[in-house]
Amino acid sequence: MTLLLDRPTGATRFRAFGPRQIDDIADRYGLSPALRDGIALLAHVLPFRVNEYVLDELIDWTRPEDDPLFRLVFPQRGMLAAEDEHALEQLVRSGASTRETAALVKRIRTGLNPHPSGQQEYNVPVHRGERLPGLQHKYRETVLYFPTQGQSCHSYCTYCFRWAQFVGDPSLRFAAPNPGRLVAYLRDHPEVSDVLVTGGDPMVMSTERLSAHLDPLLKIGSLQTVRIGTKSLAYWPHRFTSDSDSAELLQLFERVVAAGKQVAVMAHFTHPRELRTTAVRTALQRIRSTGAVVYCQAPMVAHVNDRAETWAELWRAELAAGAVPYYMFVERDTGPYDYFKVPLAKALELFQTAYRTLPGLARTVRGPVMSATPGKVVVDGVEDHADGRHFLLHMAQARNPALVGRPFRARYSPDAAWLCELEPAADVPEDIRAAMQS
Ligand SMILES: *Cc1c(COP(=O)(O)O)cnc(C)c1O
Ligand code: SF4
């Protein structure tokens, strides 16, 4: 396999590499046999996908086992429960049939909770008696839109909960082949001001395809903002600079802006290193020159970015690039959760430590935020009261708009890592208590 080797420097044609290329990756970047074998084993359950930009410009190959960017994209030992990893290893070593392996893989994956927080059940809207696949309408003003052709990414994050969509289990897929039903829905729902195009990553689509999804939205007067959720700035900034249709992509953004809508690129940056390359800086400049605004968000995950200095540097780098720090998420209960989870108390402490060092213009960031069933719950602080130590929280977004912005308390716990593990204080009003327990 020479794909990885015969590459003139500077060439930027996108090619993805996965488990079948692990030996070539190991040879080229000097991975130890132990690391290589661990990746190959875990990849049965957690598919990986990388490209040359990620391999060449993001990962530090001097100590891959300690490198946050390496852990971000390569599945490794320790990410699955020990008994699952063991069972998988025994089975693969025994030379089991593909069918036997597939059955175990399926069982392990099902245990990884691919649809946390009622993603699939609660949020799919019904319009004129029909469920609309590929749409989610959770918060009054924002509809999520999942185009069929955007259900992949330029590289996969090991912590992602959307892997279920990528691995071909049709019961786990939900996506829209075209925007016809979205347009009809928006016409009947003028309260929706924002469409958030998401995936996967909508930027894996060609500009032509993306235009086919976006152009029909421009005629809808009540739509104000087209948001595009993407990690392409981190994983493939060439999408905006040197891909064959990157100029047309920037023209599409300009067209949306010219139609009187905002383009908000919701960029997923996990680590400050993702903002250091020439390619990403150029990409950010080009995007901004179209009139689009870049907002940044990412989860805090153990082994990757659970340090205050990492976040302080990330938010400063975003601000310096003209982007807006927006949300720091709490990792949710899905995928290799025990490996990546960070307790709320720790996430809050790291958030606050980093936040205090920021210039005011970077204090646009909110967090730590749990994107939970009732809404986006922000942990604001810890306070000692006569009745004990408590977390202070509020909802930044809620299915029920009456809950937004009202402070409430929950009993402090050093280990709680999600809303369902919090015990509401005695004085929490009934509507908020009910939401917390939904
Ligand atoms: C986060 C999120 C939004 C957008 O929320 P904002 O606070 O407006 O950024 C919309 N829909 C869903 C389902 C979300 O999780
Ligand atoms: S880029 Fe986004 S959707 Fe894709 S794997 Fe990473 S977190 Fe998941």
Side-chain angles (χ1 to χ4, degrees), residues 19 37-48 75 80 85 88-89 91-93 96-98 101-102 104-106 108-109 112 163 167:
D37 293 348
I39 293 169
L41 179 71
L42 273 285
H44 282 100
V45 175
L46 304 167
F48 79 83
L80 295 179
E85 184 183 309
L88 184 65
E89 187 154 32
L91 195 67
V92 170
R93 279 221 190 125
S97 68
T98 322
T101 311
L104 178 65
V105 164
K106 188 168 179 202
I108 298 175
R109 279 185 182 157
L112 296 177
W163 56 268
V167 299

PDB file of all heavy atoms in Angstrom, residues 19 37-48 75 80 85 88-89 91-93 96-98 101-102 104-106 108-109 112 163 167:
ATOM      1  N   PRO A  19      -8.978   1.519   9.556  1.00  0.00           N
ATOM      2  CA  PRO A  19      -8.333   0.333  10.133  1.00  0.00           C
ATOM      3  C   PRO A  19      -7.529  -0.487   9.130  1.00  0.00           C
ATOM      4  O   PRO A  19      -6.513  -1.068   9.484  1.00  0.00           O
ATOM      5  CB  PRO A  19      -9.521  -0.465  10.678  1.00  0.00           C
ATOM      6  CG  PRO A  19     -10.538   0.575  11.010  1.00  0.00           C
ATOM      7  CD  PRO A  19     -10.387   1.651   9.964  1.00  0.00           C
ATOM      8  N   ASP A  37      -1.234  -2.780  17.623  1.00  0.00           N
ATOM      9  CA  ASP A  37      -2.147  -3.900  17.837  1.00  0.00           C
ATOM     10  C   ASP A  37      -3.348  -3.477  18.683  1.00  0.00           C
ATOM     11  O   ASP A  37      -4.463  -3.948  18.466  1.00  0.00           O
ATOM     12  CB  ASP A  37      -1.408  -5.064  18.501  1.00  0.00           C
ATOM     13  CG  ASP A  37      -0.369  -5.673  17.565  1.00  0.00           C
ATOM     14  OD1 ASP A  37      -0.388  -5.340  16.357  1.00  0.00           O
ATOM     15  OD2 ASP A  37       0.471  -6.458  18.044  1.00  0.00           O
ATOM     16  N   GLY A  38      -3.100  -2.599  19.635  1.00  0.00           N
ATOM     17  CA  GLY A  38      -4.215  -2.094  20.449  1.00  0.00           C
ATOM     18  C   GLY A  38      -5.226  -1.341  19.592  1.00  0.00           C
ATOM     19  O   GLY A  38      -6.438  -1.525  19.725  1.00  0.00           O
ATOM     20  N   ILE A  39      -4.726  -0.517  18.693  1.00  0.00           N
ATOM     21  CA  ILE A  39      -5.620   0.234  17.804  1.00  0.00           C
ATOM     22  C   ILE A  39      -6.411  -0.726  16.919  1.00  0.00           C
ATOM     23  O   ILE A  39      -7.625  -0.614  16.784  1.00  0.00           O
ATOM     24  CB  ILE A  39      -4.805   1.215  16.928  1.00  0.00           C
ATOM     25  CG1 ILE A  39      -4.185   2.312  17.787  1.00  0.00           C
ATOM     26  CG2 ILE A  39      -5.685   1.824  15.835  1.00  0.00           C
ATOM     27  CD1 ILE A  39      -3.152   3.160  17.053  1.00  0.00           C
ATOM     28  N   ALA A  40      -5.685  -1.690  16.347  1.00  0.00           N
ATOM     29  CA  ALA A  40      -6.359  -2.634  15.441  1.00  0.00           C
ATOM     30  C   ALA A  40      -7.461  -3.392  16.180  1.00  0.00           C
ATOM     31  O   ALA A  40      -8.552  -3.624  15.643  1.00  0.00           O
ATOM     32  CB  ALA A  40      -5.335  -3.603  14.856  1.00  0.00           C
ATOM     33  N   LEU A  41      -7.205  -3.730  17.434  1.00  0.00           N
ATOM     34  CA  LEU A  41      -8.200  -4.471  18.213  1.00  0.00           C
ATOM     35  C   LEU A  41      -9.423  -3.594  18.499  1.00  0.00           C
ATOM     36  O   LEU A  41     -10.563  -3.966  18.220  1.00  0.00           O
ATOM     37  CB  LEU A  41      -7.570  -4.949  19.524  1.00  0.00           C
ATOM     38  CG  LEU A  41      -8.512  -5.726  20.440  1.00  0.00           C
ATOM     39  CD1 LEU A  41      -8.819  -7.103  19.833  1.00  0.00           C
ATOM     40  CD2 LEU A  41      -7.915  -5.893  21.835  1.00  0.00           C
ATOM     41  N   LEU A  42      -9.170  -2.416  19.055  1.00  0.00           N
ATOM     42  CA  LEU A  42     -10.275  -1.544  19.458  1.00  0.00           C
ATOM     43  C   LEU A  42     -11.082  -1.048  18.259  1.00  0.00           C
ATOM     44  O   LEU A  42     -12.271  -0.758  18.368  1.00  0.00           O
ATOM     45  CB  LEU A  42      -9.743  -0.350  20.268  1.00  0.00           C
ATOM     46  CG  LEU A  42      -9.559  -0.518  21.781  1.00  0.00           C
ATOM     47  CD1 LEU A  42     -10.900  -0.481  22.469  1.00  0.00           C
ATOM     48  CD2 LEU A  42      -8.830  -1.803  22.149  1.00  0.00           C
ATOM     49  N   ALA A  43     -10.423  -0.970  17.112  1.00  0.00           N
ATOM     50  CA  ALA A  43     -11.105  -0.458  15.922  1.00  0.00           C
ATOM     51  C   ALA A  43     -12.242  -1.370  15.469  1.00  0.00           C
ATOM     52  O   ALA A  43     -13.109  -0.944  14.705  1.00  0.00           O
ATOM     53  CB  ALA A  43     -10.105  -0.257  14.783  1.00  0.00           C
ATOM     54  N   HIS A  44     -12.274  -2.609  15.962  1.00  0.00           N
ATOM     55  CA  HIS A  44     -13.429  -3.461  15.663  1.00  0.00           C
ATOM     56  C   HIS A  44     -14.707  -2.799  16.177  1.00  0.00           C
ATOM     57  O   HIS A  44     -15.765  -2.918  15.580  1.00  0.00           O
ATOM     58  CB  HIS A  44     -13.282  -4.833  16.333  1.00  0.00           C
ATOM     59  CG  HIS A  44     -12.356  -5.754  15.623  1.00  0.00           C
ATOM     60  ND1 HIS A  44     -11.055  -5.960  16.023  1.00  0.00           N
ATOM     61  CD2 HIS A  44     -12.533  -6.519  14.529  1.00  0.00           C
ATOM     62  CE1 HIS A  44     -10.482  -6.833  15.202  1.00  0.00           C
ATOM     63  NE2 HIS A  44     -11.352  -7.186  14.286  1.00  0.00           N
ATOM     64  N   VAL A  45     -14.600  -2.143  17.327  1.00  0.00           N
ATOM     65  CA  VAL A  45     -15.786  -1.547  17.959  1.00  0.00           C
ATOM     66  C   VAL A  45     -15.871  -0.045  17.673  1.00  0.00           C
ATOM     67  O   VAL A  45     -16.941   0.479  17.374  1.00  0.00           O
ATOM     68  CB  VAL A  45     -15.761  -1.783  19.490  1.00  0.00           C
ATOM     69  CG1 VAL A  45     -16.926  -1.069  20.159  1.00  0.00           C
ATOM     70  CG2 VAL A  45     -15.795  -3.274  19.790  1.00  0.00           C
ATOM     71  N   LEU A  46     -14.735   0.634  17.794  1.00  0.00           N
ATOM     72  CA  LEU A  46     -14.698   2.092  17.616  1.00  0.00           C
ATOM     73  C   LEU A  46     -13.974   2.388  16.310  1.00  0.00           C
ATOM     74  O   LEU A  46     -12.750   2.394  16.268  1.00  0.00           O
ATOM     75  CB  LEU A  46     -13.951   2.733  18.793  1.00  0.00           C
ATOM     76  CG  LEU A  46     -14.492   2.411  20.185  1.00  0.00           C
ATOM     77  CD1 LEU A  46     -13.492   2.838  21.263  1.00  0.00           C
ATOM     78  CD2 LEU A  46     -15.837   3.091  20.415  1.00  0.00           C
ATOM     79  N   PRO A  47     -14.726   2.619  15.253  1.00  0.00           N
ATOM     80  CA  PRO A  47     -14.063   2.780  13.958  1.00  0.00           C
ATOM     81  C   PRO A  47     -13.199   4.036  13.984  1.00  0.00           C
ATOM     82  O   PRO A  47     -13.578   5.033  14.579  1.00  0.00           O
ATOM     83  CB  PRO A  47     -15.241   2.965  12.993  1.00  0.00           C
ATOM     84  CG  PRO A  47     -16.367   3.471  13.838  1.00  0.00           C
ATOM     85  CD  PRO A  47     -16.163   2.894  15.204  1.00  0.00           C
ATOM     86  N   PHE A  48     -12.034   4.005  13.372  1.00  0.00           N
ATOM     87  CA  PHE A  48     -11.289   5.254  13.270  1.00  0.00           C
ATOM     88  C   PHE A  48     -11.183   5.665  11.815  1.00  0.00           C
ATOM     89  O   PHE A  48     -11.342   4.866  10.902  1.00  0.00           O
ATOM     90  CB  PHE A  48      -9.913   5.170  13.959  1.00  0.00           C
ATOM     91  CG  PHE A  48      -8.832   4.472  13.186  1.00  0.00           C
ATOM     92  CD1 PHE A  48      -8.104   5.154  12.213  1.00  0.00           C
ATOM     93  CD2 PHE A  48      -8.523   3.145  13.431  1.00  0.00           C
ATOM     94  CE1 PHE A  48      -7.095   4.515  11.502  1.00  0.00           C
ATOM     95  CE2 PHE A  48      -7.512   2.501  12.726  1.00  0.00           C
ATOM     96  CZ  PHE A  48      -6.802   3.184  11.752  1.00  0.00           C
ATOM     97  N   PRO A  75      -8.507   4.941  18.481  1.00  0.00           N
ATOM     98  CA  PRO A  75      -9.008   4.154  19.607  1.00  0.00           C
ATOM     99  C   PRO A  75      -7.848   3.389  20.233  1.00  0.00           C
ATOM    100  O   PRO A  75      -6.927   2.971  19.523  1.00  0.00           O
ATOM    101  CB  PRO A  75     -10.002   3.182  18.957  1.00  0.00           C
ATOM    102  CG  PRO A  75      -9.560   3.065  17.535  1.00  0.00           C
ATOM    103  CD  PRO A  75      -8.950   4.398  17.183  1.00  0.00           C
ATOM    104  N   LEU A  80     -12.451   0.858  26.191  1.00  0.00           N
ATOM    105  CA  LEU A  80     -13.618   0.006  26.451  1.00  0.00           C
ATOM    106  C   LEU A  80     -13.507  -0.546  27.870  1.00  0.00           C
ATOM    107  O   LEU A  80     -12.427  -0.549  28.461  1.00  0.00           O
ATOM    108  CB  LEU A  80     -13.668  -1.157  25.467  1.00  0.00           C
ATOM    109  CG  LEU A  80     -13.884  -0.814  24.000  1.00  0.00           C
ATOM    110  CD1 LEU A  80     -13.885  -2.092  23.164  1.00  0.00           C
ATOM    111  CD2 LEU A  80     -15.193  -0.055  23.805  1.00  0.00           C
ATOM    112  N   GLU A  85     -12.971  -5.437  26.423  1.00  0.00           N
ATOM    113  CA  GLU A  85     -11.699  -5.488  25.691  1.00  0.00           C
ATOM    114  C   GLU A  85     -11.138  -6.908  25.726  1.00  0.00           C
ATOM    115  O   GLU A  85     -10.667  -7.433  24.709  1.00  0.00           O
ATOM    116  CB  GLU A  85     -10.702  -4.497  26.318  1.00  0.00           C
ATOM    117  CG  GLU A  85      -9.390  -4.420  25.545  1.00  0.00           C
ATOM    118  CD  GLU A  85      -8.363  -3.484  26.192  1.00  0.00           C
ATOM    119  OE1 GLU A  85      -8.723  -2.327  26.482  1.00  0.00           O
ATOM    120  OE2 GLU A  85      -7.226  -3.922  26.410  1.00  0.00           O
ATOM    121  N   LEU A  88     -13.151  -9.286  23.511  1.00  0.00           N
ATOM    122  CA  LEU A  88     -12.855  -9.006  22.103  1.00  0.00           C
ATOM    123  C   LEU A  88     -11.501  -9.610  21.722  1.00  0.00           C
ATOM    124  O   LEU A  88     -11.359 -10.259  20.683  1.00  0.00           O
ATOM    125  CB  LEU A  88     -12.853  -7.492  21.893  1.00  0.00           C
ATOM    126  CG  LEU A  88     -12.668  -6.979  20.471  1.00  0.00           C
ATOM    127  CD1 LEU A  88     -13.850  -7.389  19.599  1.00  0.00           C
ATOM    128  CD2 LEU A  88     -12.513  -5.454  20.466  1.00  0.00           C
ATOM    129  N   GLU A  89     -10.529  -9.405  22.592  1.00  0.00           N
ATOM    130  CA  GLU A  89      -9.192  -9.892  22.296  1.00  0.00           C
ATOM    131  C   GLU A  89      -9.174 -11.422  22.203  1.00  0.00           C
ATOM    132  O   GLU A  89      -8.574 -11.992  21.288  1.00  0.00           O
ATOM    133  CB  GLU A  89      -8.224  -9.412  23.387  1.00  0.00           C
ATOM    134  CG  GLU A  89      -6.790  -9.744  23.066  1.00  0.00           C
ATOM    135  CD  GLU A  89      -5.817  -8.789  23.748  1.00  0.00           C
ATOM    136  OE1 GLU A  89      -6.136  -8.317  24.860  1.00  0.00           O
ATOM    137  OE2 GLU A  89      -4.754  -8.522  23.164  1.00  0.00           O
ATOM    138  N   LEU A  91     -11.601 -13.391  21.459  1.00  0.00           N
ATOM    139  CA  LEU A  91     -12.334 -13.840  20.277  1.00  0.00           C
ATOM    140  C   LEU A  91     -11.504 -13.641  19.011  1.00  0.00           C
ATOM    141  O   LEU A  91     -11.391 -14.534  18.171  1.00  0.00           O
ATOM    142  CB  LEU A  91     -13.657 -13.068  20.177  1.00  0.00           C
ATOM    143  CG  LEU A  91     -14.687 -13.649  19.225  1.00  0.00           C
ATOM    144  CD1 LEU A  91     -15.189 -14.986  19.740  1.00  0.00           C
ATOM    145  CD2 LEU A  91     -15.856 -12.686  19.054  1.00  0.00           C
ATOM    146  N   VAL A  92     -10.899 -12.447  18.888  1.00  0.00           N
ATOM    147  CA  VAL A  92     -10.118 -12.154  17.688  1.00  0.00           C
ATOM    148  C   VAL A  92      -8.905 -13.083  17.606  1.00  0.00           C
ATOM    149  O   VAL A  92      -8.583 -13.638  16.561  1.00  0.00           O
ATOM    150  CB  VAL A  92      -9.703 -10.663  17.666  1.00  0.00           C
ATOM    151  CG1 VAL A  92      -8.685 -10.390  16.567  1.00  0.00           C
ATOM    152  CG2 VAL A  92     -10.933  -9.778  17.488  1.00  0.00           C
ATOM    153  N   ARG A  93      -8.243 -13.302  18.751  1.00  0.00           N
ATOM    154  CA  ARG A  93      -7.075 -14.200  18.775  1.00  0.00           C
ATOM    155  C   ARG A  93      -7.430 -15.633  18.427  1.00  0.00           C
ATOM    156  O   ARG A  93      -6.643 -16.353  17.856  1.00  0.00           O
ATOM    157  CB  ARG A  93      -6.472 -14.217  20.187  1.00  0.00           C
ATOM    158  CG  ARG A  93      -5.586 -13.049  20.443  1.00  0.00           C
ATOM    159  CD  ARG A  93      -4.348 -13.517  21.224  1.00  0.00           C
ATOM    160  NE  ARG A  93      -3.603 -12.373  21.673  1.00  0.00           N
ATOM    161  CZ  ARG A  93      -3.268 -12.145  22.934  1.00  0.00           C
ATOM    162  NH1 ARG A  93      -3.612 -13.005  23.873  1.00  0.00           N
ATOM    163  NH2 ARG A  93      -2.597 -11.084  23.254  1.00  0.00           N
ATOM    164  N   ALA A  96     -11.860 -16.323  15.419  1.00  0.00           N
ATOM    165  CA  ALA A  96     -13.310 -16.476  15.295  1.00  0.00           C
ATOM    166  C   ALA A  96     -13.798 -16.022  13.919  1.00  0.00           C
ATOM    167  O   ALA A  96     -13.133 -15.234  13.247  1.00  0.00           O
ATOM    168  CB  ALA A  96     -13.995 -15.652  16.378  1.00  0.00           C
ATOM    169  N   SER A  97     -14.971 -16.523  13.543  1.00  0.00           N
ATOM    170  CA  SER A  97     -15.540 -16.143  12.254  1.00  0.00           C
ATOM    171  C   SER A  97     -15.960 -14.676  12.298  1.00  0.00           C
ATOM    172  O   SER A  97     -16.169 -14.096  13.366  1.00  0.00           O
ATOM    173  CB  SER A  97     -16.768 -17.008  11.954  1.00  0.00           C
ATOM    174  OG  SER A  97     -17.799 -16.659  12.863  1.00  0.00           O
ATOM    175  N   THR A  98     -16.094 -14.112  11.108  1.00  0.00           N
ATOM    176  CA  THR A  98     -16.546 -12.724  11.004  1.00  0.00           C
ATOM    177  C   THR A  98     -17.897 -12.559  11.698  1.00  0.00           C
ATOM    178  O   THR A  98     -18.164 -11.539  12.328  1.00  0.00           O
ATOM    179  CB  THR A  98     -16.713 -12.356   9.511  1.00  0.00           C
ATOM    180  OG1 THR A  98     -15.668 -12.977   8.791  1.00  0.00           O
ATOM    181  CG2 THR A  98     -16.667 -10.862   9.299  1.00  0.00           C
ATOM    182  N   THR A 101     -17.493 -12.471  15.497  1.00  0.00           N
ATOM    183  CA  THR A 101     -16.912 -11.194  15.905  1.00  0.00           C
ATOM    184  C   THR A 101     -17.966 -10.093  15.787  1.00  0.00           C
ATOM    185  O   THR A 101     -18.119  -9.272  16.698  1.00  0.00           O
ATOM    186  CB  THR A 101     -15.683 -10.852  15.032  1.00  0.00           C
ATOM    187  OG1 THR A 101     -14.835 -11.991  14.986  1.00  0.00           O
ATOM    188  CG2 THR A 101     -14.928  -9.667  15.588  1.00  0.00           C
ATOM    189  N   ALA A 102     -18.705 -10.112  14.682  1.00  0.00           N
ATOM    190  CA  ALA A 102     -19.720  -9.075  14.472  1.00  0.00           C
ATOM    191  C   ALA A 102     -20.752  -9.083  15.594  1.00  0.00           C
ATOM    192  O   ALA A 102     -21.218  -8.023  16.040  1.00  0.00           O
ATOM    193  CB  ALA A 102     -20.394  -9.268  13.112  1.00  0.00           C
ATOM    194  N   LEU A 104     -20.336 -10.003  18.744  1.00  0.00           N
ATOM    195  CA  LEU A 104     -19.764  -9.411  19.961  1.00  0.00           C
ATOM    196  C   LEU A 104     -19.637  -7.898  19.807  1.00  0.00           C
ATOM    197  O   LEU A 104     -19.983  -7.125  20.718  1.00  0.00           O
ATOM    198  CB  LEU A 104     -18.388 -10.026  20.270  1.00  0.00           C
ATOM    199  CG  LEU A 104     -17.693  -9.418  21.498  1.00  0.00           C
ATOM    200  CD1 LEU A 104     -18.477  -9.713  22.776  1.00  0.00           C
ATOM    201  CD2 LEU A 104     -16.255  -9.918  21.631  1.00  0.00           C
ATOM    202  N   VAL A 105     -19.154  -7.480  18.646  1.00  0.00           N
ATOM    203  CA  VAL A 105     -19.002  -6.044  18.394  1.00  0.00           C
ATOM    204  C   VAL A 105     -20.351  -5.342  18.555  1.00  0.00           C
ATOM    205  O   VAL A 105     -20.456  -4.285  19.180  1.00  0.00           O
ATOM    206  CB  VAL A 105     -18.417  -5.818  16.978  1.00  0.00           C
ATOM    207  CG1 VAL A 105     -18.594  -4.378  16.521  1.00  0.00           C
ATOM    208  CG2 VAL A 105     -16.938  -6.208  16.957  1.00  0.00           C
ATOM    209  N   LYS A 106     -21.384  -5.951  18.045  1.00  0.00           N
ATOM    210  CA  LYS A 106     -22.711  -5.351  18.130  1.00  0.00           C
ATOM    211  C   LYS A 106     -23.153  -5.229  19.593  1.00  0.00           C
ATOM    212  O   LYS A 106     -23.686  -4.204  20.011  1.00  0.00           O
ATOM    213  CB  LYS A 106     -23.714  -6.197  17.339  1.00  0.00           C
ATOM    214  CG  LYS A 106     -25.058  -5.534  17.226  1.00  0.00           C
ATOM    215  CD  LYS A 106     -25.950  -6.211  16.212  1.00  0.00           C
ATOM    216  CE  LYS A 106     -27.293  -5.476  16.194  1.00  0.00           C
ATOM    217  NZ  LYS A 106     -28.365  -6.288  15.676  1.00  0.00           N
ATOM    218  N   ILE A 108     -21.216  -5.052  22.258  1.00  0.00           N
ATOM    219  CA  ILE A 108     -20.434  -4.021  22.951  1.00  0.00           C
ATOM    220  C   ILE A 108     -20.927  -2.624  22.543  1.00  0.00           C
ATOM    221  O   ILE A 108     -21.135  -1.756  23.382  1.00  0.00           O
ATOM    222  CB  ILE A 108     -18.926  -4.171  22.660  1.00  0.00           C
ATOM    223  CG1 ILE A 108     -18.415  -5.518  23.178  1.00  0.00           C
ATOM    224  CG2 ILE A 108     -18.139  -3.029  23.293  1.00  0.00           C
ATOM    225  CD1 ILE A 108     -16.956  -5.817  22.823  1.00  0.00           C
ATOM    226  N   ARG A 109     -21.161  -2.454  21.257  1.00  0.00           N
ATOM    227  CA  ARG A 109     -21.605  -1.134  20.786  1.00  0.00           C
ATOM    228  C   ARG A 109     -22.944  -0.739  21.385  1.00  0.00           C
ATOM    229  O   ARG A 109     -23.155   0.427  21.735  1.00  0.00           O
ATOM    230  CB  ARG A 109     -21.726  -1.137  19.263  1.00  0.00           C
ATOM    231  CG  ARG A 109     -20.411  -0.941  18.581  1.00  0.00           C
ATOM    232  CD  ARG A 109     -20.634  -0.842  17.096  1.00  0.00           C
ATOM    233  NE  ARG A 109     -19.357  -0.687  16.419  1.00  0.00           N
ATOM    234  CZ  ARG A 109     -19.153  -0.996  15.149  1.00  0.00           C
ATOM    235  NH1 ARG A 109     -20.140  -1.484  14.418  1.00  0.00           N
ATOM    236  NH2 ARG A 109     -17.972  -0.817  14.617  1.00  0.00           N
ATOM    237  N   LEU A 112     -22.752   0.957  24.490  1.00  0.00           N
ATOM    238  CA  LEU A 112     -22.109   2.278  24.496  1.00  0.00           C
ATOM    239  C   LEU A 112     -23.112   3.415  24.307  1.00  0.00           C
ATOM    240  O   LEU A 112     -22.718   4.548  24.071  1.00  0.00           O
ATOM    241  CB  LEU A 112     -21.013   2.353  23.427  1.00  0.00           C
ATOM    242  CG  LEU A 112     -19.821   1.399  23.623  1.00  0.00           C
ATOM    243  CD1 LEU A 112     -18.834   1.507  22.465  1.00  0.00           C
ATOM    244  CD2 LEU A 112     -19.102   1.654  24.933  1.00  0.00           C
ATOM    245  N   TRP A 163     -20.792   8.095  16.336  1.00  0.00           N
ATOM    246  CA  TRP A 163     -20.204   7.003  15.581  1.00  0.00           C
ATOM    247  C   TRP A 163     -21.269   6.016  15.126  1.00  0.00           C
ATOM    248  O   TRP A 163     -21.139   5.381  14.098  1.00  0.00           O
ATOM    249  CB  TRP A 163     -19.125   6.283  16.403  1.00  0.00           C
ATOM    250  CG  TRP A 163     -19.638   5.785  17.712  1.00  0.00           C
ATOM    251  CD1 TRP A 163     -19.607   6.457  18.882  1.00  0.00           C
ATOM    252  CD2 TRP A 163     -20.298   4.560  17.961  1.00  0.00           C
ATOM    253  NE1 TRP A 163     -20.207   5.722  19.862  1.00  0.00           N
ATOM    254  CE2 TRP A 163     -20.645   4.550  19.320  1.00  0.00           C
ATOM    255  CE3 TRP A 163     -20.637   3.458  17.179  1.00  0.00           C
ATOM    256  CZ2 TRP A 163     -21.321   3.489  19.904  1.00  0.00           C
ATOM    257  CZ3 TRP A 163     -21.300   2.398  17.765  1.00  0.00           C
ATOM    258  CH2 TRP A 163     -21.629   2.433  19.109  1.00  0.00           C
ATOM    259  N   VAL A 167     -21.459   3.805  11.223  1.00  0.00           N
ATOM    260  CA  VAL A 167     -21.004   2.439  11.080  1.00  0.00           C
ATOM    261  C   VAL A 167     -22.030   1.525  10.427  1.00  0.00           C
ATOM    262  O   VAL A 167     -21.884   0.323  10.454  1.00  0.00           O
ATOM    263  CB  VAL A 167     -20.503   1.849  12.422  1.00  0.00           C
ATOM    264  CG1 VAL A 167     -19.325   2.658  12.936  1.00  0.00           C
ATOM    265  CG2 VAL A 167     -21.595   1.777  13.442  1.00  0.00           C
TER     266      VAL A 167
END
